[in-house]
Amino acid sequence: MLCSGWTGNWVSRGFFFTARFYFCCISLFKTMATECEAWLNANPVEADDLSDSFLSGDEERGVVRKVDNEINGNWIAAPTSSIHEARVKAKAKRRLRKNSSRDSGRGDSLSDNGDSTRGPLVPPTSPKGKLLDRRSRMGKGRGLPKKGGAGGKGVWGPPGEVYDLEEVDVKDPNYDEDQENCVYETVVLPLDEKDFEKTVTPIVQEYFEHGDTSEVAELLAELNLGHMRSGVPMLAVSLALEAKASHRELTSRLLSDLCGRVLSLRDVETAFHKLLRELPDLVLDTPGAPQLVGQFIARAVRDEILSKSYIESYKGKVDCEHARAALDRATVLLKMSRGGLRIDNLWGSGGGQRPVTQLIKEVNLLLKEYLLSGDVVEAERCLRELEVPHFHHEFVYEAIVMVLESKGDKIFKMVLQLLKFLWESSVITVDQMRRGYQRVYMEIAEINIDVPCAYAVLEQFVEKSFSAGIIDKRMRDLCPSRGRKRFVSEGDGGRLKLESY
């Protein structure tokens, strides 16, 4: 009973205190509202000034300076005109900052009394136009490119800027007085024996194809031959021993042109010294190496890249029979040159490098030698040594012309036998054989002027060639023919029948 009464007394007291607290808060709020209303009535403010935007630092300082004035804890009302003027100026500054960068082209400006006036509207640019725009995105500045157009990744400066040479700092601890007078050059390491053979061999082999000695000299000048300089003539001669006669002629020309430009006279002498010592090994691959090396020595003496006393210096000092044979061959050739032998044409010259008139003379000489000897194998060998497979049609043409100009059947049968042998051995190709016959067909009219029976002899030779399988039926049918002149009839007035070819 006591407990319940005591508890109820406390509950009633708590409710009383809570209600009294609420009444005090309500009365306080009413008093504050009454004071604010009285102040607003005394200081009227425009609706735009009651915006939710934050006050700037200058505005806050201005308001505090004008309003925050108190004396003995009592507020003193500031002048209404000063507060209104500060708010208007702060608002104008906020608008100016906001529109200075983004709306710089739209014509916003401020009037004298602080009001914002709007000029003619400018349509805003599309977002795509700003993709490669280098102006600032920070909303500040005048819209000009950053760093005057010299900023950004991969840009080394503004257009037209010229960089001066960097001056050497004398006070640099790493400074060297001699570094300003340095000359930098590309250093090429000298070739050793293995690299020399791998590098020079393709150069010589390509020279056998184009025959340009100047190109070989330029390629060798780019290499640092060093002590392997004397190996160039030795390598070239070694490759020429296993090649054709035209390649040997090219090798002799190469040695003559390189001497004085890339090689010296001593290098050439050293190269031939090594060749004479290695002749026993060269004979294993090329049995005629001693005679060929002797011819190279004679040609070198004739071209004045070897001294005339070079051969005499070996007298009585040679034990190798192959070296002795080479020196004897060179001595004989030099003695024959005094009697009229031209060592310049010792090797002959390549087919493609000789003039056409010279080739025609050699073809006629070959045919005459064959008609005297009748040896088809020797004629084949001589034709191969000419090294002019593209000129074999001239050989066929000259052979047929000899048949047309000859008398009797001996030359007729020998030329037919020779052409059949060369056709079966594939020395003369189908195209070259056909071109030779076609040339005779085209010039038979002129040949007939000097040889009246040329048409008849040509028809017989073409028919025999077709029977031997040298030409085909189509080439046989193309052979021109000439009919005999006769009267058409007894009373035609002497008219002649037209010639048919």
Side-chain angles (χ1 to χ4, degrees):
M1 187 69 179
L2 292 174
C3 292
S4 60
W6 180 77
T7 305
N9 189 13
W10 277 103
V11 171
S12 61
R13 289 181 179 181
F15 177 77
F16 173 76
F17 286 122
T18 304
R20 186 176 182 182
F21 174 75
Y22 284 145
F23 284 125
C24 291
C25 291
I26 292 173
S27 61
L28 179 62
F29 290 152
K30 288 182 178 181
T31 304
M32 293 177 63
T34 303
E35 293 178 357
C36 289
E37 185 178 358
W39 185 85
L40 289 174
N41 292 331
N43 303 303
V45 183
E46 294 181 1
D48 294 338
D49 296 339
L50 299 177
S51 60
D52 295 335
S53 60
F54 294 99
L55 297 178
S56 63
D58 295 339
E59 185 178 358
E60 291 178 355
R61 288 191 297 270
V63 173
V64 171
R65 186 171 55 251
K66 299 296 183 179
V67 179
D68 194 7
N69 299 323
E70 51 181 305
I71 301 176
N72 295 329
N74 298 323
W75 292 93
I76 301 175
T80 304
S81 60
S82 62
I83 297 176
H84 179 68
E85 183 180 357
R87 287 179 178 273
V88 171
K89 290 183 178 181
K91 182 178 179 181
K93 289 182 179 181
R94 286 199 306 272
R95 288 185 178 179
L96 181 61
R97 285 197 305 268
K98 184 185 299 182
N99 300 328
S100 62
S101 60
R102 292 181 297 177
D103 302 331
S104 59
R106 298 184 182 181
D108 292 345
S109 61
L110 291 176
S111 60
D112 296 338
N113 57 1
D115 296 336
S116 175
T117 59
R118 185 173 296 273
L121 295 177
V122 178
T125 57
S126 61
K128 295 183 179 179
K130 295 185 178 181
L131 180 60
L132 300 177
D133 190 8
R134 300 176 64 185
R135 293 181 295 179
S136 175
R137 267 76 165 178
M138 298 300 293
K140 300 180 181 179
R142 297 173 296 169
L144 298 177
K146 294 184 296 184
K147 300 180 182 179
K153 184 178 180 180
V155 179
W156 287 11
E161 182 176 356
V162 180
Y163 294 93
D164 297 333
L165 296 176
E166 184 178 359
E167 297 182 359
V168 180
D169 188 5
V170 181
K171 298 181 181 180
D172 190 355
N174 297 325
Y175 173 74
D176 188 4
E177 296 180 357
D178 298 334
Q179 65 181 357
E180 297 182 4
N181 300 325
C182 291
V183 178
Y184 299 95
E185 296 181 356
T186 303
V187 178
V188 182
L189 298 177
L191 297 176
D192 55 5
E193 188 174 356
K194 293 182 180 179
D195 295 338
F196 171 80
E197 186 174 356
K198 292 180 181 179
T199 306
V200 180
T201 300
I203 296 176
V204 177
Q205 291 177 347
E206 290 178 2
Y207 166 71
F208 289 159
E209 300 296 331
H210 57 75
D212 188 0
T213 58
S214 299
E215 182 177 351
V216 179
E218 292 178 359
L219 293 176
L220 293 178
E222 296 176 358
L223 302 176
N224 188 0
L225 298 175
H227 65 281
M228 297 299 298
R229 197 175 297 273
S230 61
V232 176
M234 180 179 177
L235 180 61
V237 173
S238 300
L239 294 175
L241 293 179
E242 302 176 0
K244 304 176 182 178
S246 60
H247 296 165
R248 296 166 192 155
E249 173 65 23
L250 291 174
T251 303
S252 296
R253 293 182 183 179
L254 178 64
L255 298 182
S256 178
D257 292 344
L258 291 182
C259 190
R261 300 174 61 183
V262 180
L263 306 175
S264 62
L265 296 177
R266 185 170 184 81
D267 295 333
V268 178
E269 291 182 1
T270 305
F272 279 104
H273 283 315
K274 295 179 181 179
L275 282 172
L276 293 176
R277 288 198 301 266
E278 295 185 5
L279 270 179
D281 297 333
L282 296 175
V283 171
L284 300 178
D285 298 329
T286 308
Q291 288 73 24
L292 297 177
V293 172
Q295 294 178 6
F296 272 112
I297 294 175
R299 178 64 180 272
V301 173
R302 175 63 179 80
D303 293 337
E304 298 182 355
I305 59 177
L306 276 179
S307 60
K308 296 181 179 179
S309 61
Y310 176 80
I311 300 177
E312 298 178 358
S313 62
Y314 278 97
K315 288 185 177 180
K317 301 179 181 179
V318 180
D319 298 332
C320 179
E321 58 179 352
H322 301 294
R324 192 182 301 111
L327 294 173
D328 292 343
R329 174 65 173 170
T331 303
V332 171
L333 290 175
L334 290 174
K335 289 182 178 180
M336 292 175 62
S337 64
R338 298 172 186 173
L341 177 65
R342 295 187 58 185
I343 302 183
D344 296 343
N345 296 329
L346 183 64
W347 305 108
S349 55
Q353 299 179 0
R354 283 175 289 186
V356 177
T357 55
Q358 182 180 355
L359 287 175
I360 294 175
K361 291 180 181 180
E362 293 185 3
V363 167
N364 289 328
L365 182 61
L366 192 156
L367 289 172
K368 291 178 181 178
E369 290 178 354
Y370 164 72
L371 295 177
L372 294 176
S373 62
D375 189 355
V376 293
V377 178
E378 180 67 16
E380 178 192 2
R381 186 188 65 80
C382 295
L383 185 61
R384 289 181 182 273
E385 288 183 353
L386 288 179
E387 299 179 13
V388 285
H390 61 282
F391 203 66
H392 285 173
H393 62 86
E394 179 68 23
F395 180 84
V396 177
Y397 171 79
E398 295 292 341
I400 297 176
V401 170
M402 280 188 177
V403 173
L404 299 179
E405 295 177 352
S406 64
K407 297 178 180 179
D409 296 338
K410 180 180 179 181
I411 298 179
F412 187 98
K413 294 179 180 179
M414 292 183 66
V415 171
L416 185 63
Q417 180 184 3
L418 176 61
L419 292 180
K420 182 178 180 180
F421 181 81
L422 296 175
W423 168 260
E424 293 177 351
S425 60
S426 300
V427 176
I428 300 179
T429 61
V430 178
D431 180 64
Q432 294 295 317
M433 187 71 72
R434 188 175 299 168
R435 288 183 62 185
Y437 275 85
Q438 288 176 351
R439 287 183 59 189
V440 176
Y441 293 169
M442 294 173 62
E443 298 182 10
I444 186 63
E446 297 180 2
I447 297 174
N448 186 66
I449 297 176
D450 299 328
V451 183
C453 59
Y455 278 95
V457 177
L458 179 61
E459 288 181 1
Q460 297 178 6
F461 188 81
V462 169
E463 190 66 30
K464 294 290 183 179
S465 300
F466 174 73
S467 302
I470 300 175
I471 59 176
D472 54 3
K473 184 176 181 300
R474 178 175 175 275
M475 185 57 59
R476 183 198 64 176
D477 297 339
L478 292 176
C479 179
S481 61
R482 181 182 181 184
R484 293 179 300 168
K485 294 181 180 180
R486 63 180 180 82
F487 290 102
V488 177
S489 61
E490 294 180 357
D492 56 0
R495 292 184 299 160
L496 299 177
K497 184 179 178 181
L498 298 177
E499 296 179 354
S500 60
Y501 296 92

